Amino acid sequence: MSRVLVVGGTGLAGRAVTAEAVERGHEVVVAARRVPDDDADAYVAGAAYVTTDLVTGTGLEEAVNGVDVLIDTSNGLGKQAAHVFATGTQNLVHTAARFGVNRAVLLSIVGIDGSAYGYYRAKAAQERAYLDSALETRVVRATQFHDFVTAIFDRGRPFGALFSPTRTRFQPIAVADVARVLVDVAEGAGEADGILQIGGPRVESARSLAEQWKRASSTRRYILPIRLGGALGSTWRAGRNLVPEHAVDGVGYGSWLDAGA
């Protein structure tokens, strides 16, 4: 059994990783800006929580003390992302190295290489900070979560529609499947200082996925094709968000919907 630190462990991916690591018998510490109440959805029984701010460094030493491996699922929105992924990551890896953390696992995104999209550039910089650090690092790049793809469709709600990006395909993956791989890697799977790419079991058009969501949710909203502009739209239309050769044997989008997502 190892002492595992989950950074950003109250977020969507972080909660799943925390639950997976606890289930496997690891001693789990969660670093988060806000510690959840024990009856909150973000709380996982069996984990310990430490209030931590990556950017200011508050709570970092307490969080990494005695840790064998850290799993970074941290996130940031807008301009905050650059601070979290740049300054915050440097603070984290330097502190972890000083306290003798043996291994680091970073959750990243398929298709960030060479993209002009600001968030992807920030994630690429975060990857470099880890790979250039003194920590034995493994980066896991995942395709879009089922939840994320659904959120894209649901952005059409104010217009009585489901937004469906044109000329775009996704390879959605279940958060639970990503968590399983991250904990596998934390336990030693994969190559040291390497990048592992994973995607969901099927590549499907945005339109097909939107139709599945419409049926499962019994909504009367119509599917509205939209052209997603900017660097992110260009990246997706080029298919750089897909890794069919690295599909995992996990829960497909339709099965996820059928399970009551």
Side-chain angles (χ1 to χ4, degrees):
M1 182 178 72
S2 298
R3 184 175 174 88
V4 178
L5 172 65
V6 182
V7 181
T10 56
L12 178 64
R15 294 195 303 271
V17 169
T18 299
E20 179 74 17
V22 168
E23 177 67 22
R24 295 194 194 187
H26 295 291
E27 180 183 357
V28 182
V29 178
V30 173
R33 292 187 65 187
R34 295 178 182 82
V35 172
D37 296 329
D38 58 10
D39 60 348
D41 291 340
Y43 179 82
V44 176
Y49 290 79
V50 177
T51 302
T52 308
D53 189 310
L54 297 180
V55 176
T56 66
T58 303
L60 271 181
E61 293 189 348
E62 179 185 357
V64 303
N65 189 27
V67 165
D68 299 301
V69 56
L70 72 85
I71 304 175
D72 189 346
T73 65
S74 60
N75 195 12
L77 300 175
K79 294 181 179 179
Q80 180 192 28
H83 293 296
V84 172
F85 296 151
T87 304
T89 296
Q90 290 291 349
N91 288 339
L92 175 58
V93 297
H94 290 158
T95 305
R98 283 196 295 110
F99 276 75
V101 175
N102 296 320
R103 180 178 301 139
V105 180
L106 172 65
L107 173 60
S108 191
I109 308 168
V110 166
I112 63 174
D113 286 331
S115 175
Y117 181 49
Y119 186 86
Y120 281 14
R121 292 202 308 268
K123 286 297 293 184
Q126 185 187 36
E127 286 188 1
R128 289 193 298 272
Y130 267 98
L131 293 170
D132 291 343
S133 75
L135 303 177
E136 178 193 292
T137 294
R138 290 164 167 83
V139 175
V140 177
R141 291 181 179 174
T143 54
Q144 281 67 44
F145 298 158
H146 294 329
D147 313 72
F148 180 82
V149 172
T150 299
I152 295 172
F153 303 150
D154 208 33
R155 288 179 184 175
R157 180 183 294 271
F159 307 95
L162 302 178
F163 283 168
S164 175
T166 56
R167 296 174 54 200
T168 300
R169 296 181 298 160
F170 292 110
Q171 190 180 350
I173 188 169
V175 173
D177 290 329
V178 175
R180 172 172 50 82
V181 173
L182 286 169
V183 178
D184 285 346
V185 172
E187 293 176 342
E191 296 182 4
D193 299 316
I195 297 176
L196 173 66
Q197 302 199 93
I198 58 172
R202 293 184 62 188
V203 174
E204 300 184 75
S205 70
R207 176 80 188 200
S208 173
L209 293 165
E211 289 172 345
Q212 293 175 53
W213 190 84
K214 181 175 180 176
R215 287 194 299 269
S217 60
S218 299
T219 182
R220 299 182 66 180
R221 285 185 277 159
Y222 67 99
I223 297 174
L224 177 63
I226 59 168
R227 186 182 188 279
L228 185 64
L232 181 60
S234 297
T235 297
W236 287 354
R237 282 191 295 275
R240 292 166 60 186
N241 60 321
L242 308 174
V243 283
E245 68 278 17
H246 298 296
V248 300
D249 183 15
V251 179
Y253 189 69
S255 298
W256 179 75
L257 291 172
D258 291 341

